[in-house]
Amino acid sequence: MIEKTPNMKSLMLSIRVASWSGERQLNWIRRTGCAEDEIVLQLEDCYIAVKSHVTYDEEEEFPDFLDEGIREVLDLFTRLIDVDPELWSPESMVSARQWDVVRDRARRLLVEIRGSSWSSFLDE
């Protein structure tokens, strides 16, 4: 059984933040004082920390569905940056279709997590 760590909780929160509506993401940014790109940076940092913990410290397998899902979300974020840095403005976060694609994938990943043994890490 994989041990629950603060990084696990942070990873799940990062996935949830990526799935939120643009308005909710902007409220989170304002409340935390983070920049817009913190959504992707936090997800990436937590993913690396948790995957390392699971595979090296716990000597367990990191679930393929979670690995692939997070990498897909991160790739979608990278495409946002590559396509047009202006997509990272507050206005674009709320209105740009590209953000909806990222949010939809993050929501699907949450559904996958809820249906897995990793659901206990969600703390919903």
Side-chain angles (χ1 to χ4, degrees):
M1 180 71 173
I2 297 171
E3 179 183 323
K4 193 173 196 175
T5 68
N7 284 334
M8 296 273 196
K9 187 175 180 177
S10 295
L11 175 62
M12 296 303 155
L13 174 60
S14 297
I15 297 168
R16 282 198 308 270
V17 170
S19 76
W20 290 345
S21 70
E23 294 85 9
R24 189 168 180 192
Q25 287 173 335
L26 288 176
N27 286 336
W28 178 82
I29 287 166
R30 289 181 189 116
R31 192 175 60 253
T32 61
C34 296
E36 290 82 2
D37 65 348
E38 190 62 30
I39 295 171
V40 67
L41 295 174
Q42 184 178 39
L43 177 59
E44 185 174 42
D45 289 348
C46 293
Y47 165 61
I48 291 167
V50 169
K51 186 173 180 181
S52 175
H53 172 76
V54 169
T55 57
Y56 296 110
D57 298 340
E58 298 282 333
E59 297 181 353
E60 297 279 342
E61 291 288 321
F62 194 78
D64 287 340
F65 84 90
L66 190 55
D67 195 34
E68 291 169 13
I70 293 170
R71 283 189 290 114
E72 284 178 25
V73 172
L74 291 171
D75 287 345
L76 289 168
F77 274 127
T78 300
R79 288 186 203 146
L80 283 178
I81 295 166
D82 291 345
V83 168
D84 183 0
E86 292 299 315
L87 288 172
W88 287 86
S89 70
E91 298 80 23
S92 292
M93 288 179 68
V94 174
S95 63
R97 169 78 178 105
Q98 294 91 326
W99 275 91
D100 290 336
V101 173
V102 177
R103 291 181 186 112
D104 288 344
R105 182 57 185 112
R107 286 184 197 113
R108 287 195 321 271
L109 180 56
L110 286 171
V111 169
E112 292 176 59
I113 293 168
R114 286 183 189 108
S116 77
S117 62
W118 279 63
S119 63
S120 64
F121 297 120
L122 282 171
D123 284 341
E124 293 182 310

